[in-house]
Amino acid sequence: MALNRRSFLTFAAGGVAGTLFTPVIWKSIDDSAIWTQNWPWIPRLEYGPRAYAATTCKLCPAGCGLNIRTAGGRPVAAEGRTDHPLSQGGICPLGAAAVQLLYAPARIKGPMQKQADGSHQPISWDEAEALLQEKLAEQKGRKDAVVCVSGDENGTINELFSALLGGLGSDGCFLMPGEQLVASKILREGSIGYDLENADFVLAFGADMLDSWGTAVRNKKAYGAAHPVGEEASAEYVYVGPTQNVTGGAADQWIAITPGMEGVLALGIAYHLLQGGMSAPQAHDFFAYRNFVINRYTPDYVERLTGVAPEQVAELARKLRTANKPLIIPGSTIAQGGGVFSFAAALSLNMLFDNVNSVGGIQVLPDLPKVVEGAKAQAQIRAKDLVAYVQGVADGKVSKPGVYLVYEANPLFALPQPDVAAKAFDGSYLVSFSTFYDETAVQADLLLPTPTFIERFDDVQTPYGSGFASYSLTRPVIRQPIFDTKPTGDVLLGVAKALDIDLGYDSFDKVLEAKVAALSELEGFFTDKVQPWEARAGKVPAAASGNLWRNISRGSFWASIQEPFPTAMQLGSTIISQTAPPDAEDWTFPVSLAAMDSRTYGSRHIAIPPFCLPLLGEQEIQGDVFYVWMNSATARAYGLQAEDKVKLAGPNGSCLAKVRIFEGVGRNMVAAPLGFGHTAWDKFSRNKGDNIYKVLTVRTEPGSNLAVWADSRVRIAKA
Amino acid sequence: MMEEKKGGTSAGGVVLPFLLGFVAALAFGWWGVPQLLFSKKTQPLVFTHQNHIELYGMSCDDCHSFRRDGSFSGLPDNAKCAECHSFPMGDHPDEIKFVEEYYEKGIEVPWLVYQYQPDNVFFSHAAHREYDCATAGCHPDVGSSNELPVYYENRLTKYSRDTMKMKDCERCHATVAAQEPERFAGAPNACQTCHK
Ligand code: SF4
């Protein structure tokens, strides 16, 4: 056979035919297609060992335990910890978004400085800290010239702020307002806790305990344990509040009441109890209290102010009396801005039942020992009224500070009447330590971003609402912080040193270690076997031993049920009578504004995360417009129908919204969600609805001089 | 003459080159291309399943277990191996290598996985635990082998040659779902059953 053209072509033809009987063509096509799956710009899953890291949530003050699930060292999801008394396996929507927030576009990627044109330009940490030091040095020695606004209610970081400010000659260390401020007006030392788990009748005034008040996830667990599916409930829950919110909906009974009138109802109940012969001889002021209540809070008067029928009030009194362990929880629906009157009135019911430091009652909880020299006591910091201060500065009654330090707080969005805050901040040097580009950060002259709680060491001391004193830590569960951030504690220590103020530590981690070491001053235990409420009911826990730091920094939860000091029993008759609300109607602003909060809407310092947006129903927001809720009678009275546009106008600000008709709102009230209407943050959280804080109106409560706004009033009209 | 010549050469002159070409293509397609397409890799350490099972009475579950949450732990990590091998139990060089090079240095052994699913697939072992891994045809049956099979990596796609093909998943889903529709209601061949 000669190799000629013809045989070659035949050979080739044979080759082609043969190829058809091999997988080459099909395999090549298939593999080329698969190859396209591996182009480098296609997002890839990260493989690697999966693990859990136990830590504590810092997105709101409730301090739940979280397990951060990691894959190959990279956080992928947050889950509730089953071994943590404040979460017991549960988590709220905001906590569930924790990992997503780690990667959120709203994060500030490094230190920045404001330019003349208002934009922010990146600078180095050295430059940024030098700038902070320079600005603080200018104010050193000038009285109250540096003010701190902290959004962290229960972190040790406040000790550093307060000590640094002290060193600079300032007393202006404020927390964002919350229930703990009101509570501190009643209890000057220690804080108030609620032993929910052991109570068999829970009467909550205002406090939206199953969604946004106090230790919300723990409260839900206590509620759930008392309401086993398919079985008889072991505790009855009654909710007194303006709306049938999550708590009102779940409670065995919901009683509609105008915000601010909770205390009147409480005293109306006290009237029946006292008439029924109840006494509290151990209270010094029992007779003054008795006279005041019996003379003033008669069934008729209470009905006129609250709209609650006398039989219903009497029935509540009967239920309380027949319960074994009744617990009365004071609070405001938005866990802020309530007055001393309602708080003290509800608390006095506990006192009548001699419910203080008893199983299933209210607890006086010790503050954990202070570790930073020169810092103010926690009780002193808690008791400072930021809103009153800001009003004073805006009105020119208090001199404007030179520098504001804002930490994990967003006062230019989340203080009532934020325009007043803006006025008070205007012209001062504003430093933001925020993780996110929030409304306050947008205005700041200097941004010193702090890492998220997933990237740093931090702590949570006894969250408000908890029934026991506790301590837990957050820790970095990611190898490398995602952005060029620096823990604020370290920044403060560095700048203090440069200013010759000795705070006694080199790093924030050391401060936390000292705090943990100081816990041994109290009788504490780890909650692996015995839960604090079981301990209170008589189980004996093993005292915490071993290396405390090692255990706590790996996620152990430290608790104490030690009673801090004997409390002198007082029913608070003086303060209750001084702060009692006037019984005149306000006809200029005839409708009560019942603001609503929910962890679905974020928290005081976190905007609605994109993760939570799908949770909002179409009756909560559509496009950019959000809804306010009212019952059909109220809507009719103002000529409104579902889906109508409505304007809510308070004395200082107004909002636009659409109407949702919902019978779970009391009469002559309009309910509106807080946390909408962000103008900063990222494209996911921005421009959704309107900011109800603009409509909340601050008044001063007579007798306590506390700034209050939970009972704001508005005019409503079709827009 | 012309006719004859043509006819005379047609048998040997056309058929033979055609056949040669045909056979060469078959050989190239069935033998050559796989050689070119796949690179061979060996596992970082030798490992015998047989010894573990027969000599030490272990079962598959001892290492390839389900976690409490139902997820499958896949390959054991160093810690698992170190339950027995935290120091060399014999004198096999790979055993010493495991202890010294991996376990003590805290480096996980980079085992090659024959069966990773592509990223766009969701696969749960828990849902498939009723099926025998080897006989259902999903895995090479290494349980009784004395050595680990060679790992073939596709040079083009970087996937292991043993990566399951979609048609294998589909075939089984179609049959089991068809046989017992009530029991396997969750196993239809809809895209979203497997794909993310
Ligand atoms: S309630 Fe607060 S602390 Fe708990 S998970 Fe939610 S955001 Fe975190």
Side-chain angles (χ1 to χ4, degrees), chain A residues 57-64 66 91-96 216-217 599:
Chain A
C57 181
K58 289 287 280 183
L59 295 176
C60 93
C64 300
L66 295 190
I91 191 170
C92 85
L94 179 58
V217 175
R599 283 298 145 268

Side-chain angles (χ1 to χ4, degrees), chain B residues 6-181:
Chain B
K6 252 190 172 175
T9 52
S10 64
V14 180
V15 175
L16 191 63
F18 184 87
L19 272 182
L20 279 177
F22 192 83
V23 171
L26 285 185
F28 175 73
W30 286 104
W31 183 84
V33 169
Q35 298 294 317
L36 286 175
L37 191 58
F38 294 101
S39 65
K40 288 188 191 179
K41 292 191 167 176
T42 43
Q43 296 284 359
L45 299 173
V46 301
F47 180 86
T48 152
H49 279 92
Q50 200 182 29
N51 277 3
H52 282 82
I53 292 176
E54 289 175 8
L55 298 182
Y56 303 105
M58 295 172 66
S59 72
C60 308
D61 272 358
D62 288 335
C63 299
H64 309 288
S65 54
F66 285 96
R67 300 191 189 91
R68 268 180 42 208
D69 64 356
S71 64
F72 186 60
S73 65
L75 298 188
D77 57 6
N78 280 357
K80 189 76 200 167
C81 301
E83 285 177 12
C84 301
H85 301 270
S86 58
F87 52 88
M89 294 175 77
D91 54 5
H92 193 287
D94 275 20
E95 171 132 31
I96 297 168
K97 188 174 165 195
F98 167 74
V99 174
E100 291 179 353
E101 299 294 312
Y102 294 109
Y103 175 58
E104 285 177 355
K105 291 187 182 164
I107 302 169
E108 290 293 329
V109 183
W111 296 111
L112 299 164
V113 178
Y114 303 103
Q115 296 276 296
Y116 264 142
Q117 293 289 349
D119 268 358
N120 58 349
V121 176
F122 168 79
F123 176 81
S124 155
H125 277 88
H128 296 84
R129 66 204 307 177
E130 289 193 24
Y131 295 94
D132 183 345
C133 327
T135 54
C138 314
H139 284 201
D141 180 10
V142 290
S144 54
S145 73
N146 213 350
E147 55 193 277
L148 295 168
V150 179
Y151 178 93
Y152 293 96
E153 185 184 87
N154 188 316
R155 291 185 213 268
L156 191 59
T157 66
K158 304 294 178 206
Y159 282 122
S160 156
R161 193 189 65 185
D162 297 307
T163 302
M164 260 180 86
K165 288 291 186 187
M166 187 167 110
K167 66 174 189 302
D168 299 323
C169 309
E170 280 185 314
R171 193 185 305 132
C172 199
H173 273 228
T175 45
V176 295
Q179 275 165 3
E180 295 184 66

Side-chain angles (χ1 to χ4, degrees), chain A residues 616-634:
Chain A
L616 300 178
E618 55 178 18
Q619 290 277 299
E620 284 176 280
I621 189 151
Q622 267 179 38
D624 302 341
V625 188
F626 75 150
Y627 283 78
V628 294
W629 311 353
M630 61 189 79
N631 72 22
S632 48
T634 315

